[in-house]
Structures are given as structure tokens and as C-alpha cells.
Amino acid sequence: MGNSAIIPADQITRDLLPQKFGTRGVIWTTILILTCMLGAFAYYRQLRYGLVVTNMRDYVSWGIYISNFVFFVAISLVGSLITAILRLANVHWSTPLTRIAEIIAVSAIVFAALIIIVDMGRPERFLNLALHGRIQSPIMWDVIVISTYFFISLLLLYFPLLPDLKIMIENKEKTSKWLYKLYRFQGSFWKGTKEQFRLSDKAINILCILIIPVAFSIHTVTSWLFATTYRPGWDSTNFGAYFISGAFLVGSGAVVVAMYVFRSAYKLEKYITELHFDRMGKVVVMLSLLYLYFNINEYLIPAFKMKKSEELHLEELFTGEYSKMFWFAIMVGMIIPIFVLIFKAGRKPLPMFIIGSMVVVGAWFKRYLIVTPTLLHPFLPMTNVPESFKHYFPSWEEWAIAAGSMAGVLLVITFFARIYPIIPIQETITEQTEHHENN
Amino acid sequence: MSCNCGENKCSNPDNPEVNGNSRRDFLMTGLTGLAATVALAGCGTGPNPFIPEEKVALTGGKVKLLSVNGEIIEIDKAFLKPVPDMPHLSNAEERHGIAGKKFVMVIDLARCKNLRKCQSACNHMHQVHPGQNWIKVLGMEDADHAAPYWQPTTCMHCDEPPCVKVCPVDATFKRQDGIVLIDSDRCVGCRFCMAACPYSTRVFNWEEPVLTEEVAEQKYSCESSMPQKKGTVGKCDFCPDMTRKGELPHCVSACPNGVFMFGDLNQDTVSNGAETFRFSELIKDKAGYRLMEDLGTKPSVYYLPPVNRNFPYENGLENSKTDDNSYHTK
Amino acid sequence: MKIIKQNILSLLFVFTFLLLPVIKIMAQEDTAAGTPVVKLHYYNNNNSIQYVILESSLKKNKVFTPQKNKSYALFLDQSTPENLIGNILTDNEGKAKVFVPPSLKAAWDAAGTHNFIVKEGEEEIISDYAITKSMLTIDTASEDGVRTITVTAMKWEKNKWIPASDVEMKIGIERQASILSAGTTETYTTDSAGKATVELKRDSLPGDVNGNYTLAARVEDNDLFGNILVEKNVPWGVPTTIDTNFFNIRALWTTRFKTPYWLLFMAYSIVIGIWGTLIYLIVQMVKIAKMGKTP
Ligand code: SF4
Ligand code: SF4
């Protein structure tokens, strides 16, 4: 491995135990909480006056809530990539990243579910989905797979946490009283016996296998929410694969950003090394190329035929009203990352951080472009409606709720990192020893 | 046949027991039911010469009245009203539909001049939100050198309705009489159906609907689609409350040019009130077609092509300017 | 421009000419409040009980709004208390339905033509809505495969039923909210013998399960006779069994109780497979926990 120096176990523990927020941490959390509150206020207005506070109307009946939903589901997919796929492929360098990926997955999927409730006209009837649910509807499929994915991710977060809980319980003096209570409640039964490790390792392995099909399902089903309609731009058999490749890309981008932030905030240079950035960089290049491939499929083939229903839609994207956003999303989300990251210098932490952010931002706009322009190009002309129905730009309430939900995701991650070690302590120690022994 | 009926009654609340209703439903087929009472009424002794008794919520009270011959005949008090009260329908019955019917509409494009009387009647009767419409009259021009024409669009009441396929809670459903309805008491407002409908016919109650007091106090009924509810979808419902009474939908009777024709496919007849046609002949003679046949939605609305038009396209342009341009918010 | 003007003029002309005798437009208040319009319609179905429907609305800027809860009094021939048919109150649609009570039998039998008089308060607002008692009968014949329908219209004049000629009516088959003409024209007119004969041109029209359908002859808003309808059931249709299989279909668009089996199978096998495993894992978790507690 890159960093050949062996770090003693007690130092690892000391370095990786959760730390109190510094001033920056406090400011950061305050900003997030304020954004969440703004979102909550906007949602209160929406509950009170109805969805009329948004700028969605009869033609654009889905707006940035749905884009955001797709975005969150996409990001959450990375949990399965880093933890499961790489683990099964016997890749060990990714071990320090698993918990970051997993908490991103859990919080993103929670907010994906919440944003869907926000988008509903009658959120108080949510239980109708259980009372009257019909399995023919892709929404039901989504409800089922998302709850399953959430549950699996939670388990996948919890099992590897058990040994770390023991370590934290042992380091009682370093935590506050109520956190200690929490740790004891969650993990006092973990004694670290061989048998316990055996069962837990087996469980983790099963989970890793299980999460892959479920992860593929959540995003495939999400893409089917669109692909099961007739609309130009959505009516595509490519959609499942297209969404999944995009999801892995944005998720990896998010992990890169999180790696960088945790690394500098908690001084984890010894654990999240340049090597990790380098490897993640290669992963991002590969995923960008894959996503680009699906994008070409998705746009070139309909553009080659230019069916009447697709024509206006594609023109708006390529050269029309949405062209700036479209090319921005393609360039920032795929092309530039590929060109920067194929160079070794591009895979250093800071450029990686910038590229990771670009990928995430580009991906958000990509989701916007998947939802909105299609709805503005229905089969029959848009007439007999007020002028405002023929355009869409989110209202402040929509922006506030979208921002609030993002802040919510970040807040969950932040608090998680405050309470639990963001890099698995036990696993790092084990790996170090194994590495040492192998040498 | 009858054993089929027996099988129909599933143990679920959404499939109301057919047997329970069979007598009424059977009579609701109109013809046969009417005939039974008519035979009696013809000789002046029938209990009720107007609407088959089974269709009406009877009061039990009787009144004596005078016939044209000066005979004295007794009828139920329910018939004293201009429109006798219909029996209250349960949600399950409303979801079931009118047995034996299969409603169709024919829209003759050659007769339309964008008067939008259909639209205003529909909006008025259903208290559609200002700015929104269940019926739209589209100015169509299929290609650069193709002739423009006016095309009224309603919900197509598709036989393979994509909107129903995607609804997660059975809030929009297809009835046995072919009508696709919405249950605003169940709709969760996910708007998936709006995205799924290729005819863009669905509207959403983005804010509290603007209702008259009288309607706002009514009990909600899927058949009348009233009163509409905030946060749920709405659309053209083929006026099943009118058809149950044996009347034509509002748009059909409102159009002065007889553009809309409505009827029962099982009876092979459509009518615009003034004229009545045999459906199969009309479609054959005028080469009727349906919109977006290639999507496989199997609409219940047929169009007659805009040939030999009654009005030039330009005559309709004036009326396009009257669009209600605001969806007013509070 | 000129043509349009002419059109409008002639339209106006036709409008007033046609509708004046039937509709009574009462200009009571100024037009800003709207003009009240009260109409009477006489009905008789199958030569049984006759009734009159009063329709009251307010006309303002070409829009008619029903006048609810308005009271009127309806009289037969004379507006004297003994000739009162009934005091009426309009419903939500501005309509009221009135029957002739048996107490007016003597007056009703006394003449062939009756006047219906409407009073609003003390004012007579309709005084000349006259209806002649009439009767429609429907006869059918089928010879050499040709089916004919003969409708006879009679009116009560000089104490007997005599043929009514020149009565326009629809003759055909009763359908959903309409009558499908039996022949090739929309309407038929009776000859001097009061008869209108139509040859049935509607081959193989669907009837009910036994091939029955109802023939009907209907006179609509006739100046003399009002609205009269007569019906007759005939076995001339094609027996049509209606597909009652609707609620047994399993398709993607049916209710949740009729989900296609393949979909159910897929959904259940996936859900059971995955959640089964998850439950197994929770059991493992409990095992681990137990191990920790009993060292
Ligand atoms: S026209 Fe649209 S709303 Fe109506 S049934 Fe078809 S898909 Fe559904
Ligand atoms: S908006 Fe209502 S009717 Fe439409 S799919 Fe959702 S729940 Fe069903």
C-alpha cells in the first residue's frame, strides 16, 4: 500500500474517534439547520395553500421535487458500489470509504422518500399507499424497493459499526454521557468473540450480495417512473441502465467530495490518502465514460431518427431554451471530469474535490433536464391554458424546499460523523495488522 | 352468463356484488327496463309512466293524478319532482359503473368552429378552476402545408388507460361502462397519471378549488366529480351522473353545431341531441379515427375528419383570444 | 360585412318569430338585473298522466341562470281559485313539475284544448300556453321481411278523438338519451289520416339479450300538443349478450384485486426472497446479541 508506515492501534483509535465540532463545524451545522428551517417554512406554506405555491402547473406537473428525488436516489446508490461491489471484488483500498458511502446512502434515501411526500398533493393520505396500494403501479414498486434499500443500508451501516461501538464504549472518558448511553444501548452486547465476528462477517457478506440487486432496482424503478410513460425523452428502453450509470457517477462524485471534506476537517490524511483519491479518480473516469456512453445512446439515436414527437424536445435541448443547461451538464458532469482525471495530477485531492463537486452539480442539472423539458413538450399543443402554464421555473418555495432537503442530507451526515467514527476503526486496525503480517 | 355474474362478485369492496345490484343494473340498460314498465303504462295502469321505478329513490307515498283521458292514476310521490331523486350510490357502485353500457363519443371536426360552448358549459357545470379546462379546443395544423382545423379534446376514456395503469392507489379507475373516473377522496396527488396521459387531459387542483357554497357542501361523488378537492387530479368524466339520468353530457347538449355525439356502443348509436346516428355507419361513412392509435391506448372517443367543413378555420380564431389568462392565487 | 349583417338580421328575425309564441319573455325589471324568462312545457308519455314543467331563469348577457325557490301559481283555463292546478316552487335548476289533480277532472274533460296560466304573485305572466289533448299510438307490421311502423296521432276535438295531421315527430328506436330514426330521415309528419308510416331501415341493430328493443314516437315542443311520447317493445333486434367479464379481467389497468398473476408472482417472490433474507439476518443479530449477554 501507498503509506507504508504502520500506525499503532491506539493511535488509530485516538485519531478516528468522533470529535466535537470546532467553530467551523458549528457554523456549518447552523447554516444547515437554518436552511432546513427555511425549507420547513416553505413546506408549511405549501401545506397551507396547496401546491399552488410551486410553479408546477398542469403541463409541468413534476418539477424540481422530482428532479431532486431522482438525484437523491442516484446518490444513495453509491453505498452499494463502494461497500458491496468493491468488497465482493476483493478490493481493499476502499475499506476506509465504506462508512462514508453508507451514510451518504442512508441519508440520501431518507430524503428521497421525504421529498416524494413533499411532492404529493395530499401527503396526509400517504397511508393510502398501504391501504389501497396496487402493485401494477411503478410508484408502488418504488415504495417497496426504497424501503427495502433503506433497511439493508441501515443494516450494512450497523453490522460493521458493532466493533467500533465496543471501542467507543471502552473509551468512555472521551465521550459525553448521553452518547455513552447511546453506544451502550446500541452495542453493549458486542464482546468481539470469534463466534460473534464469524456471524457478523457472514451477515455483512450476505448483505453485500443482497444490496446489489436492490440497489439496481431502486434506480431502475425510478427510471421506470419516466420510461413507463409515452413522453418524448422518457419513452426509452435505455433508461434503466442510463440512470444507474449516472447514479454511480454522481454517488462517486459525492463520496470524493465527502472524503476531501472529512479529510481536511478531521485531519485524516493518514487514513484517507492520496492513493484513495487516485483510485477514486480512476473509478470516476470509468463511470463518466460509462455514463457518456449511455448519454450518447440516449440522445444520438432519437436525434438520428428525429421522430416528430422527439424533434421539438431534442431541439430545445441541443440548441433551444435548455441548450445552455444541457451542454453545461454534459461538459461539467462528464467531459471535463474525464479530461482532468485521466492525468495523474488531476487525481490529487484538491482537483479531485473540484471535479467531484462538478460531477455532483452537473448531475443535479442533468436530473432537472430529464424531468422538466419533456413535460413542456406534450403530444398535443399547449393551448387553452394561462400563459404561465407553458413555462416552468421553480418558485422560491420549491428552491427552499429543495435546498432544505439537501441541507437535511448533509445534516444527517454531519451528525453521524459527530457521533460515530466516519472511518471504521476496527477494520482499519485489522487491515493494518494484516498488512503488517503479510509483509 | 348468469354464472359469470355470480363469479363477478368478488369478496373485495371495489367489486360490488353484482347480484345485489343486478335488478337495478339490468333495468338501467334502459331499453329492456323501460319496456317492462312501458307495457303496463301503455294501458294506463302502470305505476309510473316516466322513468322505470327501479331507477328512482321511491318515497312510498302515493298521489292520485289525472291522465289525458280523464282517468285517475296513482303514482309514487318521488315523481313529483322535475327530476326524481336517484338512489344514493355507494362508492363501490360508482366504481362499478352502469351495467350493460359502453359509452363512446364521436367528435365531428368538420363542424367545429372553436365556439367553445362545450368548454364553458363543462367548466360551469363542474366548477372547473378559472384558467383550467377539462375540454380544450386545439387549433391543429399537422404539417406545414396541411390544413388547419379545430380539434376539441376530452378525456379519451381509453380502454387501455395508461393513467389507470400507473395510479398507485386505485384512485383513478376504469368502470365496466368504459368510463375512467377519479376518486378524489382517495387520490394522493402524486400526479403520475398526468405524466402518463399522452393526451394531456388531466388537470390538478393546485389550490383550494373555487366552488359555490351549495356544491362545497355536497357529499363528494366520483360520478359527478364534485365537489373537487385541493391536491387531487380532475378531468373530463363523460358526465356519468347525466347518463345515469338518461341525459347527454353537458358538452354534447351545449354545442350549437352538433359537434359532439355521445352514445352507447352496445346500442350502436350516438346522438348530439338533434340528430341520432348509427355509430358503426357514421364511422364507416365518414372514416372515423381515434387519436394516437399507435400508442395502443384504445380511446373511446372517435373523430370524424375535417372534410367538407361547415366553417372556415379562420372563423374560429376570434374565440381563441378569450382564454382565461390567469390561474388566480391567493 | 354586409353579409354578416344580413345574417344577423335574418337570424334575429327567425329567432323572434319562432320563439315568441312559445317563450314568454317578461321584461319586468331593467336589463341590468337580467330578464326573467319563464317557460312551460307540457308532457304526456304513453297516453297516461300529463304534466307541465315550468322552467324559470334569468337571462343576462346571453347567459341563463336558473331562478331557484321562486313561487308561481298554475291554473287551468281560468285564473280562479277553483281552477288552480297547484302552487309551485322551483328547484335548484329553476324547474318545477306540476300534475293535474283529480279535482279538476270535470274541467279537464270538458274541453279538448286547455290553456295553462301562470301567475307570479298577482300578475299573470303566461296566459296563452294552449295545449290540445292528444294521443299517439304505435302499430307495427312485418310482411315479407319488411317491417313497418305506423304511428297514429289523434286529437280530442268536438268530444271525440279525430286524426291529427301535420304533426312532426321522431319515429325510431329508443337508445341512450336519444331516438335513432327507424328510417332514413330524422323526423316524420302525419298525413291527413293522422298517420305516419316508416319502413324499418335499421337492420341487425343490437337489442337486449332476447333481441328486444323499444320503438318510440316522440313529438317535441309542438305548438298544439306539447311533448308526447309513445313506446312499444318489439323483438326486432339482434340478441346481444353484454360481456359481463369485465371485472374478471386481469390486466395492468385493473384494480389491485385483479393484478395479473405474473406480476403478483414476481412481486411476491422478490419481496419474500429479500425480506426473508433480511429477517434471517435479524435473527443472526439477535444471536450475536445473546452471545454477548451470556459470556
Ligand atoms: S385520455 Fe388520458 S386521462 Fe383519459 S383515459 Fe386516456 S390516458 Fe387516461
Ligand atoms: S394523482 Fe391521484 S389519480 Fe393520479 S396517479 Fe396519483 S393517486 Fe392516482
Side-chain angles (χ1 to χ4, degrees):
Chain A
M1 277 208 169
N3 54 336
S4 46
I6 301 300
I7 315 163
D10 55 337
Q11 198 200 331
I12 294 181
T13 313
R14 218 177 313 126
D15 284 349
L16 296 185
L17 274 183
Q19 300 162 23
K20 284 223 174 71
F21 288 146
T23 348
R24 277 196 297 170
V26 171
I27 295 173
W28 166 250
T29 350
T30 321
I31 293 173
L32 289 182
I33 290 175
L34 287 179
T35 319
C36 281
M37 278 163 60
L38 183 68
F41 173 66
Y43 187 52
Y44 159 75
R45 279 181 52 84
Q46 180 179 311
L47 284 180
R48 174 143 180 223
Y49 300 109
L51 281 164
V52 69
V53 301
T54 70
N55 276 344
M56 291 186 275
R57 290 297 179 261
D58 292 345
Y59 283 105
V60 184
S61 50
W62 282 344
I64 55 169
Y65 293 158
I66 297 291
S67 320
N68 233 355
F69 163 73
V70 177
F71 178 74
F72 285 150
V73 174
I75 282 201
S76 80
L77 226 60
V78 76
S80 72
L81 174 76
I82 304 278
T83 4
I85 300 184
L86 293 186
R87 189 193 289 251
L88 288 180
N90 230 349
V91 173
H92 287 292
W93 60 264
S94 64
T95 316
L97 309 181
T98 47
R99 195 161 292 154
I100 298 182
E102 215 45 63
I103 187 60
I104 291 179
V106 169
S107 62
I109 206 73
V110 166
F111 278 86
L114 285 179
I115 204 89
I116 276 296
I117 295 175
V118 167
D119 184 68
M120 284 176 21
R122 303 296 294 233
E124 81 278 14
R125 294 187 186 163
F126 187 76
L127 272 185
N128 277 6
L129 289 173
L131 295 175
H132 303 288
R134 340 172 22 258
I135 207 74
Q136 289 100 316
S137 166
I139 290 197
M140 278 317 287
W141 309 346
D142 228 359
V143 169
I144 295 171
V145 289
I146 284 185
S147 44
T148 309
Y149 186 75
F150 168 70
F151 196 69
I152 297 181
S153 299
L154 217 52
L155 285 182
L156 211 41
L157 198 58
Y158 186 50
F159 271 111
L161 199 61
L162 287 172
D164 286 4
L165 285 172
K166 176 165 170 271
I167 294 173
M168 286 186 294
I169 292 170
E170 282 161 3
N171 288 283
K172 188 181 173 188
E173 70 287 358
K174 294 222 177 70
T175 64
S176 61
K177 208 161 142 207
W178 69 271
L179 275 184
Y180 177 72
K181 267 194 194 141
L182 180 73
Y183 298 148
R184 280 209 53 93
F185 171 72
Q186 288 177 330
S188 62
F189 58 80
W190 182 266
K191 296 285 182 293
T193 64
K194 255 221 171 84
E195 186 58 15
Q196 276 185 329
F197 263 115
R198 193 186 64 82
L199 285 181
S200 147
D201 282 350
K202 193 169 127 201
I204 292 174
N205 273 336
I206 294 176
L207 281 170
C208 283
I209 296 167
L210 204 58
I211 199 169
I212 294 171
V214 177
F216 273 65
S217 315
I218 57 165
H219 217 43
T220 309
V221 169
T222 302
S223 81
W224 288 347
L225 296 185
F226 305 98
T228 47
T229 71
Y230 297 104
R231 308 243 172 193
W234 292 355
D235 181 12
S236 156
T237 45
N238 186 22
F239 243 44
Y242 170 53
F243 267 48
I244 286 187
S245 60
F248 281 148
L249 175 60
V250 57
S252 314
V255 167
V256 169
V257 174
M259 275 159 64
Y260 185 84
V261 173
F262 283 128
R263 182 181 195 245
S264 45
Y266 290 132
K267 312 254 166 334
L268 301 176
E269 284 81 358
K270 272 185 252 144
Y271 306 94
I272 304 176
T273 61
E274 297 212 351
L275 173 109
H276 288 113
F277 282 95
D278 188 70
R279 298 260 160 96
M280 275 309 284
K282 286 179 183 159
V283 170
V284 171
V285 176
M286 188 197 76
L287 292 171
S288 299
L289 284 168
L290 189 67
Y291 192 41
L292 188 64
Y293 165 76
F294 280 112
N295 268 279
I296 293 171
N297 270 292
E298 192 52 42
Y299 291 107
L300 184 67
I301 301 310
F304 187 88
K305 290 176 285 193
M306 275 298 181
K307 281 197 286 193
K308 192 181 164 198
S309 55
E310 305 264 358
E311 190 180 335
L312 190 62
H313 174 65
L314 290 174
E315 273 172 6
E316 285 282 287
L317 287 181
F318 294 161
T319 52
E321 205 189 321
Y322 286 97
S323 59
K324 281 197 201 89
M325 200 192 276
F326 178 77
W327 294 115
F328 171 81
I330 297 273
M331 292 309 288
V332 165
M334 281 164 262
I335 311 278
I336 297 178
I338 292 173
F339 278 109
V340 174
L341 298 185
I342 46 173
F343 298 106
K344 197 161 174 63
R347 298 195 293 268
K348 293 271 173 257
L350 186 64
M352 275 293 286
F353 169 69
I354 297 170
I355 292 297
S357 318
M358 279 166 67
V359 165
V360 173
V361 171
W364 194 88
F365 282 101
K366 196 83 201 347
R367 304 302 179 278
Y368 186 91
L369 288 170
I370 288 173
V371 177
T372 302
T374 284
L375 287 168
L376 282 171
H377 303 117
F379 289 105
L380 294 173
M382 294 193 277
T383 47
N384 295 206
V385 288
E387 203 44 42
S388 62
F389 281 36
K390 300 181 192 170
H391 311 281
Y392 173 70
F393 188 78
S395 68
W396 79 259
E397 285 92 347
E398 286 176 271
W399 285 119
I401 290 176
S405 61
M406 305 248 198
V409 173
L410 296 176
L411 206 58
V412 171
I413 299 173
T414 310
F415 278 129
F416 182 84
R418 168 69 193 84
I419 300 176
Y420 302 104
I422 196 67
I423 291 180
I425 302 177
Q426 182 64 49
E427 275 178 272
T428 311
I429 295 173
T430 324
E431 218 143 276
Q432 287 270 351
T433 9
E434 272 172 17
H435 183 234
H436 184 62
E437 278 159 12
N438 289 352
N439 280 356
Chain B
M1 232 297 286
S2 59
C3 74
N4 251 346
C5 273
E7 276 166 26
N8 270 350
K9 51 171 177 121
C10 306
S11 52
N12 68 63
D14 288 23
N15 284 6
E17 297 208 353
V18 169
N19 276 359
N21 299 329
S22 62
R23 184 164 154 74
R24 182 162 80 231
D25 283 351
F26 177 64
L27 289 160
M28 294 290 281
T29 57
L31 277 184
T32 46
L34 204 53
T37 22
V38 158
L40 291 169
C43 39
T45 52
N48 124 55
F50 315 110
I51 304 178
E53 201 163 273
E54 286 77 4
K55 256 186 169 181
V56 173
L58 296 181
T59 61
K62 299 276 182 192
V63 273
K64 288 202 168 78
L65 298 166
L66 203 58
S67 85
V68 65
N69 293 329
E71 288 169 57
I72 293 166
I73 294 173
E74 212 175 50
I75 63 160
D76 191 280
K77 277 187 176 155
F79 294 96
L80 295 180
K81 292 188 180 170
V83 182
D85 292 336
M86 293 292 167
H88 176 72
L89 295 170
S90 67
N91 181 275
E93 283 169 303
E94 289 181 334
R95 285 171 171 267
H96 202 267
I98 307 173
K101 298 274 176 186
K102 176 76 181 76
F103 294 111
V104 278
M105 184 178 269
V106 179
I107 297 178
D108 189 348
L109 299 176
R111 297 176 173 195
C112 180
K113 67 162 182 177
N114 193 24
L115 262 184
R116 307 221 187 149
K117 294 280 185 221
C118 48
Q119 195 178 63
S120 47
C122 173
N123 289 355
H124 178 71
M125 297 314 291
H126 298 106
Q127 309 205 341
V128 179
H129 196 288
Q132 289 178 316
N133 299 296
W134 286 1
I135 299 182
K136 290 181 189 146
V137 185
L138 314 174
M140 299 290 286
E141 188 165 9
D142 296 339
D144 281 352
H145 298 288
Y149 58 93
W150 297 106
Q151 174 181 291
T153 52
T154 62
C155 169
M156 303 287 143
H157 296 275
C158 307
D159 281 348
E160 295 279 341
C163 55
V164 175
K165 279 186 192 170
V166 301
C167 179
V169 292
D170 271 340
T172 186
F173 52 89
K174 188 165 179 72
R175 317 199 304 173
Q176 64 173 3
D177 54 12
I179 296 183
V180 172
L181 284 187
I182 295 160
D183 185 345
S184 291
D185 271 344
R186 187 179 293 179
C187 173
V188 298
C190 66
R191 308 190 296 292
F192 198 177
C193 52
M194 299 180 79
C197 170
Y199 305 95
S200 305
T201 193
R202 290 177 167 249
V203 301
F204 192 75
N205 287 306
W206 300 100
E207 64 178 357
E208 200 60 66
V210 185
L211 303 171
T212 58
E213 224 170 275
E214 199 181 301
V215 167
E217 282 161 11
Q218 267 173 30
K219 189 176 168 344
Y220 175 76
S221 144
C222 320
E223 281 213 344
S224 65
S225 304
M226 300 250 271
Q228 293 176 56
K229 306 203 161 173
K230 178 173 116 181
T232 64
V233 281
K235 68 164 184 70
C236 155
D237 58 4
F238 261 18
C239 300
D241 49 335
M242 299 300 284
T243 31
R244 231 184 241 279
K245 285 189 263 179
E247 289 174 45
L248 292 168
H250 299 297
C251 51
V252 179
S253 20
C255 178
N257 298 323
V259 170
F260 295 88
M261 281 152 274
F262 183 84
D264 178 2
L265 190 64
N266 291 335
Q267 296 180 340
D268 199 14
T269 305
V270 286
S271 169
N272 59 18
E275 304 148 283
T276 305
F277 301 94
R278 190 158 177 184
F279 171 78
S280 49
E281 277 170 18
L282 186 68
I283 294 297
K284 197 171 102 197
D285 293 350
K286 300 239 175 124
Y289 65 95
R290 302 187 290 188
L291 292 187
M292 301 180 210
E293 198 68 75
D294 52 328
L295 299 184
T297 50
K298 306 201 179 119
S300 298
V301 177
Y302 291 74
Y303 284 85
L304 303 181
V307 286
N308 299 328
R309 297 196 215 178
N310 292 2
F311 311 97
Y313 175 81
E314 291 70 29
N315 280 13
L317 287 174
E318 259 310 290
N319 302 314
S320 285
K321 293 177 191 141
T322 57
D323 276 358
D324 193 336
N325 226 337
S326 65
Y327 183 87
H328 65 75
T329 54
K330 284 162 203 156
Chain C
M1 214 38 231
K2 211 174 170 188
I3 297 173
I4 295 176
K5 257 191 190 155
Q6 265 183 1
N7 272 342
I8 292 176
L9 273 179
S10 52
L11 249 176
L12 265 179
F13 185 72
V14 170
F15 190 78
T16 32
F17 200 77
L18 275 181
L19 299 180
L20 253 183
V22 193
I23 310 171
K24 292 288 131 187
I25 300 173
M26 311 304 299
Q28 288 182 328
E29 282 123 323
D30 58 308
T31 39
T35 321
V37 179
V38 179
K39 295 187 214 169
L40 285 183
H41 306 276
Y42 170 91
Y43 289 88
N44 190 304
N45 297 349
N46 292 313
N47 309 318
S48 179
I49 302 169
Q50 61 277 2
Y51 57 95
V52 175
I53 286 192
L54 179 143
E55 211 182 333
S56 168
S57 53
L58 208 60
K59 186 184 177 217
K60 199 172 164 184
N61 305 329
K62 289 191 207 156
V63 184
F64 288 89
T65 29
Q67 302 204 84
K68 302 169 195 172
N69 288 328
K70 280 214 102 178
S71 55
Y72 300 93
L74 186 71
F75 298 90
L76 190 68
D77 298 325
Q78 287 162 21
S79 57
T80 53
E82 51 283 6
N83 275 17
L84 177 73
I85 300 178
N87 288 309
I88 47 188
L89 199 64
T90 57
D91 67 359
N92 279 342
E93 286 164 42
K95 286 184 184 166
K97 187 178 188 180
V98 206
F99 295 85
V100 183
S103 56
L104 287 174
K105 180 170 165 56
W108 181 257
D109 288 346
T113 304
H114 291 285
N115 237 335
F116 290 91
I117 299 164
V118 178
K119 267 175 125 183
E120 186 184 356
E122 278 311 297
E123 195 183 353
E124 246 177 51
I125 52 170
I126 295 181
S127 51
D128 56 352
Y129 185 75
I131 286 294
T132 302
K133 285 194 240 174
S134 62
M135 219 154 151
L136 284 183
T137 45
I138 194 164
D139 291 301
T140 51
S142 59
E143 256 171 65
D144 306 331
V146 180
R147 288 160 172 163
T148 50
I149 306 159
T150 307
V151 177
T152 317
M154 310 283 269
K155 58 183 173 183
W156 185 259
E157 232 175 72
K158 305 197 186 89
N159 274 334
K160 59 175 189 295
W161 291 106
I162 61 163
S165 60
D166 288 330
V167 185
E168 202 192 13
M169 63 179 85
K170 282 187 171 178
I171 301 176
I173 301 105
E174 270 198 354
R175 307 266 93 170
Q176 171 77 32
S178 58
I179 293 176
L180 176 66
S181 176
T184 43
T185 51
E186 271 296 321
T187 58
Y188 299 89
T189 311
T190 54
D191 58 12
S192 55
K195 286 191 191 304
T197 305
V198 187
E199 194 183 306
L200 184 83
K201 284 276 163 39
R202 305 290 181 181
D203 295 330
S204 57
L205 198 68
D208 67 2
V209 203
N210 304 315
N212 291 323
Y213 56 58
T214 306
L215 293 177
R218 188 162 75 199
V219 177
E220 278 167 19
D221 271 332
N222 185 288
D223 292 353
L224 287 176
F225 307 118
N227 301 278
I228 28 182
L229 169 78
V230 66
E231 293 156 312
K232 186 182 183 191
N233 210 17
V234 287
W236 290 354
V238 175
T240 315
T241 17
I242 283 150
D243 185 11
T244 50
N245 211 25
F246 183 86
F247 285 109
N248 290 330
I249 304 173
R250 286 184 181 268
L252 286 173
W253 53 265
T254 51
T255 65
R256 69 201 191 100
F257 302 102
K258 289 289 169 186
T259 309
Y261 288 117
W262 61 266
L263 190 61
L264 280 180
F265 173 74
M266 276 175 55
Y268 280 124
S269 48
I270 293 171
V271 168
I272 291 172
I274 296 208
W275 280 91
T277 319
L278 287 180
I279 289 167
Y280 166 75
L281 290 177
I282 291 171
V283 171
Q284 296 295 301
M285 169 82 68
V286 173
K287 255 193 207 163
I288 295 178
K290 278 208 185 114
M291 273 173 200
K293 272 167 196 150
T294 50

